[in-house]
Structure formats: C-alpha cells, structure tokens
Short mmCIF file of all heavy atoms in Angstrom, two decimals:
data_model
loop_
_atom_site.label_atom_id
_atom_site.label_comp_id
_atom_site.label_asym_id
_atom_site.label_seq_id
_atom_site.Cartn_x
_atom_site.Cartn_y
_atom_site.Cartn_z
N MET A 217 59.45 2.35 41.81
CA MET A 217 58.02 2.66 41.82
C MET A 217 57.82 4.15 41.57
O MET A 217 58.49 4.98 42.15
CB MET A 217 57.41 2.26 43.17
CG MET A 217 57.33 0.77 43.40
SD MET A 217 56.73 0.35 45.07
CE MET A 217 54.96 0.57 44.83
N GLY A 218 56.90 4.47 40.69
CA GLY A 218 56.66 5.86 40.34
C GLY A 218 57.34 6.29 39.05
O GLY A 218 57.09 7.39 38.57
N ALA A 219 58.16 5.43 38.48
CA ALA A 219 58.87 5.78 37.24
C ALA A 219 58.51 4.86 36.08
O ALA A 219 58.95 5.10 34.96
CB ALA A 219 60.38 5.74 37.46
N THR A 220 57.71 3.80 36.31
CA THR A 220 57.51 2.79 35.28
C THR A 220 56.20 2.91 34.52
O THR A 220 56.01 2.25 33.50
CB THR A 220 57.55 1.38 35.90
OG1 THR A 220 56.46 1.22 36.81
CG2 THR A 220 58.87 1.14 36.64
N ALA A 221 55.25 3.73 35.00
CA ALA A 221 53.93 3.80 34.37
C ALA A 221 54.05 4.14 32.88
O ALA A 221 54.93 4.92 32.49
CB ALA A 221 53.07 4.85 35.07
N PRO A 222 53.22 3.54 32.04
CA PRO A 222 52.09 2.66 32.37
C PRO A 222 52.46 1.20 32.59
O PRO A 222 51.56 0.35 32.64
CB PRO A 222 51.18 2.81 31.16
CG PRO A 222 52.14 3.01 30.02
CD PRO A 222 53.26 3.83 30.58
N ASN A 223 53.73 0.89 32.69
CA ASN A 223 54.15 -0.47 33.01
C ASN A 223 54.19 -0.66 34.52
O ASN A 223 54.36 0.30 35.27
CB ASN A 223 55.54 -0.76 32.44
CG ASN A 223 55.57 -0.76 30.93
OD1 ASN A 223 54.54 -0.83 30.27
ND2 ASN A 223 56.77 -0.68 30.36
N PRO A 224 54.10 -1.90 34.99
CA PRO A 224 54.22 -2.15 36.43
C PRO A 224 55.67 -2.18 36.87
O PRO A 224 56.57 -2.44 36.06
CB PRO A 224 53.59 -3.54 36.59
CG PRO A 224 53.91 -4.22 35.29
CD PRO A 224 53.82 -3.14 34.23
N PRO A 225 55.95 -1.92 38.13
CA PRO A 225 57.30 -2.14 38.66
C PRO A 225 57.57 -3.64 38.78
O PRO A 225 56.69 -4.39 39.23
CB PRO A 225 57.27 -1.46 40.03
CG PRO A 225 55.84 -1.45 40.42
CD PRO A 225 55.03 -1.40 39.15
N VAL A 226 58.74 -4.07 38.35
CA VAL A 226 59.09 -5.49 38.37
C VAL A 226 60.56 -5.62 38.76
O VAL A 226 61.39 -4.82 38.31
CB VAL A 226 58.88 -6.16 36.99
CG1 VAL A 226 59.22 -7.65 37.04
CG2 VAL A 226 57.44 -5.97 36.51
N GLY A 227 60.87 -6.62 39.55
CA GLY A 227 62.26 -6.91 39.91
C GLY A 227 62.63 -8.34 39.55
O GLY A 227 61.76 -9.22 39.49
N CYS A 228 63.90 -8.56 39.29
CA CYS A 228 64.39 -9.89 38.90
C CYS A 228 65.76 -10.11 39.51
O CYS A 228 66.62 -9.23 39.49
CB CYS A 228 64.47 -9.99 37.37
SG CYS A 228 65.19 -11.54 36.76
N ALA A 229 65.97 -11.31 40.04
CA ALA A 229 67.30 -11.73 40.51
C ALA A 229 67.69 -12.99 39.75
O ALA A 229 66.86 -13.86 39.49
CB ALA A 229 67.28 -12.00 42.01
N ILE A 230 68.96 -13.09 39.40
CA ILE A 230 69.49 -14.28 38.75
C ILE A 230 70.45 -14.97 39.70
O ILE A 230 71.33 -14.32 40.30
CB ILE A 230 70.18 -13.92 37.42
CG1 ILE A 230 69.14 -13.39 36.43
CG2 ILE A 230 70.89 -15.14 36.83
CD1 ILE A 230 69.70 -12.96 35.10
N LEU A 231 70.28 -16.27 39.85
CA LEU A 231 71.05 -17.06 40.80
C LEU A 231 71.83 -18.15 40.08
O LEU A 231 71.45 -18.57 38.97
CB LEU A 231 70.14 -17.72 41.84
CG LEU A 231 69.41 -16.87 42.88
CD1 LEU A 231 68.41 -15.91 42.23
CD2 LEU A 231 68.69 -17.76 43.87
N ASP A 232 72.89 -18.65 40.72
CA ASP A 232 73.55 -19.84 40.20
C ASP A 232 72.85 -21.08 40.74
O ASP A 232 71.86 -20.99 41.49
CB ASP A 232 75.05 -19.82 40.50
CG ASP A 232 75.37 -19.94 41.99
OD1 ASP A 232 74.48 -20.28 42.79
OD2 ASP A 232 76.55 -19.69 42.35
N ALA A 233 73.35 -22.25 40.40
CA ALA A 233 72.68 -23.49 40.78
C ALA A 233 72.65 -23.71 42.28
O ALA A 233 71.79 -24.46 42.78
CB ALA A 233 73.37 -24.66 40.09
N ASP A 234 73.55 -23.06 43.02
CA ASP A 234 73.57 -23.19 44.48
C ASP A 234 72.71 -22.16 45.17
O ASP A 234 72.59 -22.16 46.40
CB ASP A 234 75.01 -23.07 44.99
CG ASP A 234 75.89 -24.22 44.52
OD1 ASP A 234 75.37 -25.35 44.43
OD2 ASP A 234 77.08 -23.96 44.23
N GLY A 235 72.12 -21.23 44.42
CA GLY A 235 71.26 -20.22 45.00
C GLY A 235 71.97 -18.93 45.35
O GLY A 235 71.39 -18.06 46.01
N THR A 236 73.22 -18.78 44.92
CA THR A 236 73.94 -17.52 45.13
C THR A 236 73.44 -16.48 44.14
O THR A 236 73.35 -16.75 42.93
CB THR A 236 75.45 -17.72 44.95
OG1 THR A 236 75.91 -18.68 45.90
CG2 THR A 236 76.20 -16.40 45.15
N ILE A 237 73.10 -15.29 44.63
CA ILE A 237 72.62 -14.24 43.75
C ILE A 237 73.77 -13.69 42.92
O ILE A 237 74.79 -13.25 43.45
CB ILE A 237 71.97 -13.10 44.57
CG1 ILE A 237 70.73 -13.62 45.31
CG2 ILE A 237 71.59 -11.93 43.66
CD1 ILE A 237 70.09 -12.60 46.22
N LEU A 238 73.59 -13.70 41.60
CA LEU A 238 74.60 -13.17 40.69
C LEU A 238 74.34 -11.71 40.35
O LEU A 238 75.27 -10.91 40.26
CB LEU A 238 74.63 -14.00 39.40
CG LEU A 238 74.89 -15.50 39.56
CD1 LEU A 238 74.85 -16.18 38.19
CD2 LEU A 238 76.24 -15.75 40.23
N THR A 239 73.09 -11.36 40.15
CA THR A 239 72.75 -9.98 39.81
C THR A 239 71.27 -9.73 40.11
O THR A 239 70.47 -10.68 40.14
CB THR A 239 73.05 -9.68 38.33
OG1 THR A 239 72.92 -8.29 38.07
CG2 THR A 239 72.12 -10.45 37.41
N VAL A 240 70.93 -8.47 40.32
CA VAL A 240 69.56 -8.06 40.60
C VAL A 240 69.27 -6.83 39.75
O VAL A 240 70.11 -5.93 39.64
CB VAL A 240 69.34 -7.72 42.10
CG1 VAL A 240 67.89 -7.32 42.36
CG2 VAL A 240 69.74 -8.89 42.99
N ALA A 241 68.09 -6.78 39.17
CA ALA A 241 67.73 -5.64 38.33
C ALA A 241 66.23 -5.39 38.44
O ALA A 241 65.48 -6.23 38.94
CB ALA A 241 68.12 -5.88 36.87
N ALA A 242 65.82 -4.23 37.94
CA ALA A 242 64.40 -3.88 37.92
C ALA A 242 64.10 -3.10 36.66
O ALA A 242 65.00 -2.52 36.03
CB ALA A 242 64.03 -3.04 39.15
N HIS A 243 62.84 -3.08 36.29
CA HIS A 243 62.39 -2.24 35.18
C HIS A 243 62.46 -0.79 35.63
O HIS A 243 61.98 -0.44 36.71
CB HIS A 243 60.96 -2.62 34.81
CG HIS A 243 60.40 -1.86 33.66
ND1 HIS A 243 61.09 -1.67 32.48
CD2 HIS A 243 59.20 -1.24 33.48
CE1 HIS A 243 60.35 -0.98 31.64
NE2 HIS A 243 59.20 -0.70 32.23
N HIS A 244 63.07 0.07 34.81
CA HIS A 244 63.28 1.47 35.19
C HIS A 244 62.19 2.39 34.69
O HIS A 244 61.73 3.27 35.43
CB HIS A 244 64.63 1.96 34.66
CG HIS A 244 65.80 1.35 35.36
ND1 HIS A 244 67.10 1.79 35.18
CD2 HIS A 244 65.88 0.33 36.26
CE1 HIS A 244 67.93 1.07 35.92
NE2 HIS A 244 67.21 0.18 36.58
N ARG A 245 61.76 2.23 33.45
CA ARG A 245 60.72 3.10 32.89
C ARG A 245 60.22 2.47 31.60
O ARG A 245 60.89 1.62 31.00
CB ARG A 245 61.25 4.51 32.61
CG ARG A 245 62.43 4.58 31.68
CD ARG A 245 62.90 6.03 31.47
NE ARG A 245 63.13 6.69 32.74
CZ ARG A 245 64.28 6.61 33.42
NH1 ARG A 245 65.28 5.86 32.95
NH2 ARG A 245 64.42 7.27 34.56
N ALA A 246 59.03 2.89 31.17
CA ALA A 246 58.43 2.36 29.94
C ALA A 246 59.38 2.62 28.77
O ALA A 246 59.93 3.70 28.62
CB ALA A 246 57.08 3.02 29.69
N GLY A 247 59.55 1.60 27.95
CA GLY A 247 60.44 1.69 26.81
C GLY A 247 61.84 1.20 27.09
O GLY A 247 62.60 0.90 26.16
N ALA A 248 62.22 1.13 28.38
CA ALA A 248 63.54 0.61 28.76
C ALA A 248 63.44 -0.91 28.94
O ALA A 248 62.35 -1.49 28.92
CB ALA A 248 64.01 1.28 30.05
N ALA A 249 64.59 -1.53 29.10
CA ALA A 249 64.63 -2.99 29.25
C ALA A 249 63.77 -3.44 30.43
O ALA A 249 63.74 -2.78 31.47
CB ALA A 249 66.07 -3.45 29.45
N HIS A 250 63.07 -4.56 30.24
CA HIS A 250 62.34 -5.15 31.35
C HIS A 250 63.33 -5.71 32.37
O HIS A 250 64.53 -5.88 32.08
CB HIS A 250 61.40 -6.24 30.85
CG HIS A 250 60.21 -5.70 30.12
ND1 HIS A 250 59.15 -6.49 29.72
CD2 HIS A 250 59.89 -4.44 29.72
CE1 HIS A 250 58.24 -5.75 29.11
NE2 HIS A 250 58.68 -4.50 29.10
#
C-alpha cells in the first residue's frame, strides 16, 4: 500500500487442490506485473 497508485493494492494466493498455499504475491507498482 502506498506504492501502487494509480492502481489499487491487490494480493493473490495460489493453492493446490487440497488448499495448501503454493505461493503468494501482490501488485508492487503501476506498470509492474499484477
């Protein structure tokens, strides 16, 4: 938060079929990967 404007801060987690978290990421700044 505070680095993404004018985009919103967003977080994403990817899980396997059993619900185990494999990875977590967030949007860092405008122009960078979502």
Side-chain angles (χ1 to χ4, degrees):
M217 290 175 80
T220 65
N223 295 345
V226 181
C228 175
I230 294 178
L231 291 64
D232 67 13
D234 295 324
T236 300
I237 296 175
L238 303 178
T239 190
V240 181
H243 182 47
H244 290 190
R245 58 180 53 85
H250 287 188

